[in-house]
Amino acid sequence: MDTIIFLTDYKGHYGSKYDAVPYNSGLDLNFLSSGLRRIGIEPRFFSFTEVYRQPIDYWKDIPVLYTSSEDVGYHYKSFIEDVICYLEAIGAVVVPSYRFLRANNNKVFMELLRKVAGLPLSLKSHVFGCIEELTATEEDWIYPIVIKLSEGAMSETVDIAYSRYELLKKVSLMTKTSSVKEDAREFIRSRKYQGYVKQSRFRKKFILQEFVHGLKADFKVLNFGEKYFCFKRPTRKNDFRASGSGNRNYSYGEDSGVTKELLDYSREVVDLLKLPFVSLDIVDYDGIFHLLEFQALYFGTVGVIKSTGHYEYKDGSWKYLEGKMTVEDVHIHSIAKYFGK
């Protein structure tokens, strides 16, 4: 049997599963293991901290899949990033590669990675590290414009501005990093050292992104191998955001109204990314598609759980195949396909 290493968090959890029992405990590792063994893969599980205890040669050329984390402050995710970067440096075959972990819940790096991966850039956007970088630019933004903090899920750190005045006001509120102690120290430095430039008080990185007018919904497409699970998310009442509106309002599978053209667009993106599984947020605006965001790991799986079937591209056309699947089922399938089992 071929061996694949799976890295679990400090709770012993791997991956994200909408209906996990107990809550937020990830995939059923016994189910996952038995399914992988049936297709000739022997899974081995390590915690992230155990990685360092193994000799460097142990990891050479060995496939490693791993979980991520959405802990408050992303402190544990930062540790995961250290470990995955280390594994890549010593020759492990990390799936997905470190750059996709870096982009997980990091909208700024996701935007940069979009260019690296050659993904469609249909929406104009720009990245900033602090508000001073925004005020220094003389670019004539088209309003309204969407503001996104780099960190945050479910549209909690997304807003919109209808003028330059409102843009600067909202960005200053969203990106504030200063404290009374820090401000006092900076004041003293500015008096003590001639020509000293004070540190920015607004250093949370953010994105400005072109606004899509008349948005009533977006589509979430979850890809596992050749299986595509789709659902539509309506915008919030009196709001422009779709993500976070609540899955009670979502429509799944054939009920979502997903078109052949949107599925073709999704397949094009999937082919560019070359990943075992990926989550795509897509807007269909009068037949023009915009990829808003994507995630390569630790994304929501409600679309798998609540769909009555999935789409596959067969013999030159899209087919909807009825049948419920578990998150473990689609992981096993996508891992088998990715590793040629």
Side-chain angles (χ1 to χ4, degrees), residues 39 47 59 67 189 224 233-234 275 338 340:
I39 60 173
S47 69
W59 300 101
T67 192
R189 291 180 185 122
F224 294 86
R233 308 181 297 185
L275 294 164
Y338 188 80

Side-chain angles (χ1 to χ4, degrees), residues 5-66:
I5 302 295
F6 291 81
L7 300 183
T8 61
D9 64 18
Y10 63 95
K11 299 178 182 179
H13 299 161
Y14 170 82
S16 173
K17 181 180 177 182
Y18 173 74
D19 60 351
V21 179
Y23 172 73
N24 205 26
S25 59
L27 277 64
D28 183 325
L29 299 187
N30 290 327
F31 191 110
L32 181 66
S33 298
S34 61
L36 290 171
R37 291 190 181 103
R38 284 196 298 270
I39 60 173
I41 294 175
E42 179 60 34
R44 294 182 186 174
F45 296 92
F46 287 84
S47 69
F48 285 99
T49 191
E50 288 174 327
V51 168
Y52 189 67
R53 298 192 183 119
Q54 302 299 321
I56 286 178
D57 288 347
Y58 178 84
W59 300 101
K60 183 70 173 175
D61 298 326
I62 195 166
V64 178
L65 276 71
Y66 59 95

Side-chain angles (χ1 to χ4, degrees), residues 19 59 62 101 118 141 227 243 307:
D19 60 351
W59 300 101
I62 195 166
L101 171 62
W141 306 105
K227 302 181 187 300
S243 175
S307 291

Side-chain angles (χ1 to χ4, degrees), residues 254-268:
E254 288 187 307
D255 294 333
S256 69
V258 66
T259 63
K260 167 191 174 297
E261 290 76 17
L262 190 143
L263 288 167
D264 287 340
Y265 177 83
S266 302
R267 185 164 170 257
E268 176 188 345

Side-chain angles (χ1 to χ4, degrees), residues 100-233:
F100 290 101
L101 171 62
R102 179 70 181 169
N104 186 238
N105 290 315
N106 181 343
K107 294 180 177 65
V108 164
F109 189 72
M110 186 187 301
E111 200 65 22
L112 298 171
L113 181 56
R114 187 197 298 260
K115 283 192 173 184
V116 175
L119 297 180
L121 294 169
S122 52
L123 287 179
K124 184 179 180 181
S125 62
H126 201 84
V127 297
F128 299 91
C130 62
I131 196 171
E132 284 78 5
E133 292 179 341
L134 172 60
T135 57
T137 180
E138 296 181 358
E139 186 159 353
D140 187 20
W141 306 105
I142 298 174
Y143 298 96
I145 193 166
V146 176
I147 311 162
K148 293 183 178 182
L149 284 189
S150 188
E151 294 181 347
M154 302 294 287
S155 295
E156 292 176 354
T157 55
V158 178
D159 209 333
I160 190 168
Y162 292 88
S163 66
R164 181 170 176 81
Y165 171 79
E166 190 174 23
L167 172 63
L168 296 177
K169 181 179 179 180
K170 288 189 173 182
V171 168
S172 66
L173 290 171
M174 294 170 71
T175 64
K176 186 176 181 181
T177 54
S178 65
S179 65
V180 173
K181 183 183 290 187
E182 182 181 345
D183 290 346
R185 287 173 175 170
E186 284 295 283
F187 176 77
I188 292 170
R189 291 180 185 122
S190 67
R191 290 300 183 92
K192 185 176 180 180
Y193 303 107
Q194 186 176 0
Y196 177 76
V197 178
K198 288 183 182 180
Q199 182 173 258
S200 173
R201 300 172 65 240
F202 309 93
R203 301 190 310 279
K204 290 182 181 178
K205 56 189 176 181
F206 63 98
I207 295 171
L208 296 186
Q209 188 177 73
E210 181 183 350
F211 177 67
V212 181
H213 290 269
L215 178 65
K216 295 182 179 179
D218 73 359
F219 288 88
K220 174 76 81 171
V221 178
L222 308 181
N223 167 253
F224 294 86
E226 76 271 10
K227 302 181 187 300
Y228 290 75
F229 296 83
C230 306
F231 59 100
K232 183 167 70 175
R233 308 181 297 185

